Amino acid sequence: MISDNSTISAISTPLGGGAMAVVRLSGKDALQITQKLTQKETFSPRYATLCRVYDAGDVLDEVIVIYFKAPHSYTREDVCEIQCHGGSVIARRILDLTLEHGARLAQNGEFTKRAFLNGRIDLSQAQAIAQMIEAKSLKAQKTLARHLCGELSEFVQNARDLLYEALAYSEVMIDYSDEDLPQDLIEKLMQKIDLVLGRLEKILKHSIARNGILEGFRLSIVGKPNVGKSSLLNAFLMQERAIVSDVAGTTRDRIEESFHIAGVYVKIIDTAGIRESKDRIEQIGIERSKEAMRESDVILALFDASREWEKEDEEILNLLREEKDKKIIVLLNKNDLPRQIDQDQLKEFSPIALSAKEKEIDSVLEALEKVLNEEESDDVMLSSANQIKSVQDSIESLRQAKLELANGVLELFSYNLKDAICSIGAITQPYESAELLDKMFGEFCLGK
Ligand SMILES: Nc1nc2c(ncn2[C@@H]2O[C@H](COP(=O)(O)OP(=O)(O)OP(=O)(O)O)[C@@H](O)[C@H]2O)c(=O)[nH]1
Ligand SMILES: [Mg+2]
């Protein structure tokens, strides 16, 4: 439970336009303050009550009040939501009135922080709420909604339960002498640890692979000068974003844009053409495009089908071979012109033909959609750096625990197991650190 017993108040909707706004109060005086504002005696919990807010005896607005009686509310405290008309004046005045009647202005994220401290939600759910507001795509939103509904909490709980069982066995066996250690129990313990380890490794791997769902997948367009990289970018964006010309080396800096494809948010980078260059500026551009390739989740490598195979194409092919663990889509552009390229050179990548200039890019979009959805799975995933770190730490401790178990050193096995339990538990219930919590909830918006 929280020690601060103040009643907090904030406008929970964006200020300005909009048909309506909500002023929200939470705390022991929430109801009493609302009663004073509305000059109304009774509010039935969870009913929408039409009433008026008065300001120095004058009617300020006609509002709907919903009273959520503790503990059946967002924060588990008494909560009143006052739905008033929108605009820039009314909600502000209602907020001021609540403050005049004893409420305190809420800090960013303070409602959610109270929900967390009062045990209504755990940290993974609170984080999901914060991230939802920032969600860039429908897929991201749906992933976060699963966290809000407690799927990640459940995953953590299951892992912890298994590890606690192992710990209990281990603690009992610590009293046995080395020779008496029951071998079958040790094996059982090993199996349990392996089971959890397997689950943690799996969630870590696919969370990293699917991180683009939340953050946006990074795509880079690479190729030698003049193959049509900027033309392809423009075709994706359906606007003339980048300069296109028949002069090789037109794009000298990288251009970044974003768009949605199949419900996924994508950040795309158009780069300078890759080739040996004596021109310093172009040289920098080339370095940047190599960098873009390294940074990206998906590489779109463009080749000019209307020209013969050249040394520069060979170089790009070699770079692609170095990036084998990336998703690579090889494209044959200028398909509208007579074909000159020796396509066999690219057969290991099954190239796809297109014409960026003619905006014939359906084949590319299709391939891209397929690649972006490759990692699709029903498994719950981790959604933040701190969650990933917790799982990594836990994996490390479990690996160490296994070594200790294999050596029969049960004290150290238990010690590492406890570490693993602590690390994984931090996803939902970090050890109470006021500073950490302030930082996390401070990143929320006001009224949340
Ligand atoms: N016929 C034909 N011409 C194309 C196609 N795509 C691009 N071009 C032309 O090829 C030239 C180069 O296109 P850009 O998009 O500027 O090529 P780039 O790869 O960005 O070139 P750099 O920025 O110089 O590396 C322009 O004249 C385009 O009109 C295509 O599909 N068919
Ligand atoms: Mg260009």
Side-chain angles (χ1 to χ4, degrees):
M1 285 297 265
I2 56 171
S3 49
D4 172 8
N5 68 359
S6 56
T7 297
I8 52 173
S9 176
I11 301 171
S12 288
T13 42
L15 278 179
M20 55 184 276
V22 176
V23 176
R24 178 154 65 167
L25 288 141
S26 177
K28 63 175 181 25
D29 298 331
L31 180 62
Q32 195 198 330
I33 294 171
T34 308
Q35 284 166 336
K36 281 188 191 151
L37 256 60
T38 55
Q39 297 179 6
K40 198 171 163 55
E41 289 297 311
T42 50
F43 289 98
S44 306
R46 295 175 170 230
Y47 274 87
T49 308
L50 177 67
C51 52
R52 289 170 180 163
V53 168
Y54 295 90
D55 179 8
D58 304 324
V59 175
L60 178 67
D61 192 14
E62 226 172 24
V63 301
I64 302 273
V65 168
I66 305 178
Y67 165 47
F68 299 89
K69 191 172 163 52
H72 305 291
S73 72
Y74 184 66
T75 56
R76 283 214 170 148
E77 302 173 330
D78 266 0
V79 167
C80 286
E81 289 183 2
I82 305 173
Q83 301 177 0
C84 60
H85 289 96
S88 55
V89 177
I90 307 166
R92 268 180 209 256
R93 185 62 194 141
I94 293 177
L95 174 67
D96 282 345
L97 290 171
T98 65
L99 302 182
E100 281 167 22
H101 284 93
R104 161 172 83 63
L105 187 64
Q107 292 162 354
N108 286 9
E110 201 172 359
F111 289 92
T112 310
K113 184 178 175 184
R114 287 189 172 195
F116 169 73
L117 291 174
N118 290 329
R120 197 181 89 68
I121 53 171
D122 66 32
L123 193 66
S124 73
Q125 293 170 308
Q127 270 189 317
I129 293 167
Q131 287 180 301
M132 273 168 146
I133 298 165
E134 308 279 322
K136 294 191 177 67
S137 69
L138 195 55
K139 277 226 165 88
Q141 167 58 27
K142 287 185 178 176
T143 302
L144 295 166
R146 291 176 61 176
H147 286 197
L148 180 64
C149 294
E151 277 193 50
L152 184 59
S153 320
E154 204 176 306
F155 175 89
V156 168
Q157 193 54 47
N158 285 341
R160 273 167 55 100
D161 286 351
L162 283 167
L163 295 178
Y164 266 122
E165 271 175 44
L167 186 64
Y169 276 125
S170 168
E171 299 284 297
V172 171
M173 289 197 301
I174 280 176
D175 298 332
Y176 288 75
S177 69
D178 273 5
E179 309 81 70
D180 297 338
L181 279 181
Q183 209 47 49
D184 60 327
L185 263 185
I186 300 246
E187 254 157 49
K188 272 213 182 101
L189 274 186
M190 219 34 133
Q191 280 169 6
K192 255 195 216 318
I193 305 298
D194 277 335
L195 178 67
V196 178
L197 202 49
R199 285 186 193 168
L200 295 185
E201 281 164 347
K202 187 170 163 212
I203 197 173
L204 184 65
K205 188 164 162 258
H206 88 231
S207 299
I208 291 172
R210 295 164 74 209
N211 186 45
I213 291 176
L214 298 163
E215 300 285 327
F217 284 98
R218 283 159 311 181
L219 249 68
S220 56
I221 312 179
V222 300
K224 69 182 176 190
N226 225 25
V227 281
K229 298 179 294 300
S230 300
S231 305
L232 180 59
L233 175 85
N234 292 346
F236 277 138
L237 299 175
M238 292 189 275
Q239 55 163 311
E240 301 311 304
R241 167 68 179 85
I243 299 170
V244 167
S245 88
D246 55 3
V247 180
T250 305
T251 308
R252 295 205 160 193
D253 212 341
R254 55 192 244 172
I255 302 173
E256 294 197 30
E257 282 295 334
S258 53
F259 66 101
H260 282 87
I261 169 169
V264 179
Y265 179 71
V266 173
K267 287 184 249 184
I268 191 157
I269 307 167
D270 173 22
T271 61
I274 298 177
R275 80 156 168 217
E276 295 294 321
S277 162
K278 294 200 173 56
D279 182 327
R280 229 189 88 66
I281 300 176
E282 205 176 319
Q283 187 63 45
I284 295 170
I286 290 163
E287 277 311 312
R288 289 208 183 133
S289 52
K290 285 189 187 167
E291 201 178 285
M293 230 162 134
R294 256 174 263 132
E295 284 172 12
S296 55
D297 303 297
V298 183
I299 300 170
L300 295 172
L302 220 52
F303 292 84
D304 188 338
S306 70
R307 270 153 67 187
E308 303 246 340
W309 185 257
E310 293 171 332
K311 182 172 148 268
E312 290 157 337
D313 294 311
E314 192 67 40
E315 264 166 39
I316 288 157
L317 191 58
N318 286 335
L319 283 176
L320 293 180
R321 286 181 178 136
E322 284 169 28
E323 301 285 347
K324 267 278 162 97
D325 53 337
K326 290 262 159 75
K327 296 177 194 303
I328 297 172
I329 302 177
V330 167
L331 303 170
L332 279 179
N333 192 29
K334 310 200 186 180
N335 200 37
D336 50 302
L337 298 176
R339 189 168 287 192
Q340 295 289 334
I341 198 169
D342 173 12
Q343 207 179 314
D344 275 356
Q345 302 279 358
L346 294 168
K347 64 171 182 286
E348 69 196 272
F349 287 105
S350 320
I352 294 165
L354 74 143
S355 171
K357 189 179 175 186
E358 303 300 327
K359 312 268 187 267
E360 283 165 20
I361 58 164
D362 285 356
S363 54
V364 187
L365 291 173
E366 217 171 276
L368 204 48
E369 238 175 80
K370 209 167 136 211
V371 162
L372 293 175
N373 289 326
E374 233 165 43
E375 304 292 341
E376 191 115 296
S377 101
D378 270 348
D379 294 343
V380 58
M381 66 178 275
L382 307 167
S383 65
S384 70
N386 75 302
Q387 291 170 358
I388 287 187
K389 171 88 171 55
S390 298
V391 171
Q392 280 168 335
D393 288 350
S394 190
I395 288 175
E396 197 148 307
S397 301
L398 287 181
R399 287 191 182 141
Q400 193 56 39
K402 275 183 71 175
L403 290 179
E404 306 296 356
L405 185 62
N407 293 332
V409 193
L410 284 179
E411 286 88 348
L412 288 178
F413 170 73
S414 283
Y415 175 84
N416 282 296
L417 210 53
K418 281 179 201 156
D419 266 359
I421 292 173
C422 247
S423 300
I424 183 91
I427 292 178
T428 51
Q429 297 295 338
Y431 345 82
E432 194 88 17
S433 151
E435 208 180 319
L436 177 88
L437 293 180
D438 281 350
K439 189 180 168 305
M440 277 189 170
F441 289 103
E443 284 165 10
F444 277 54
C445 50
L446 198 65
K448 253 289 160 202

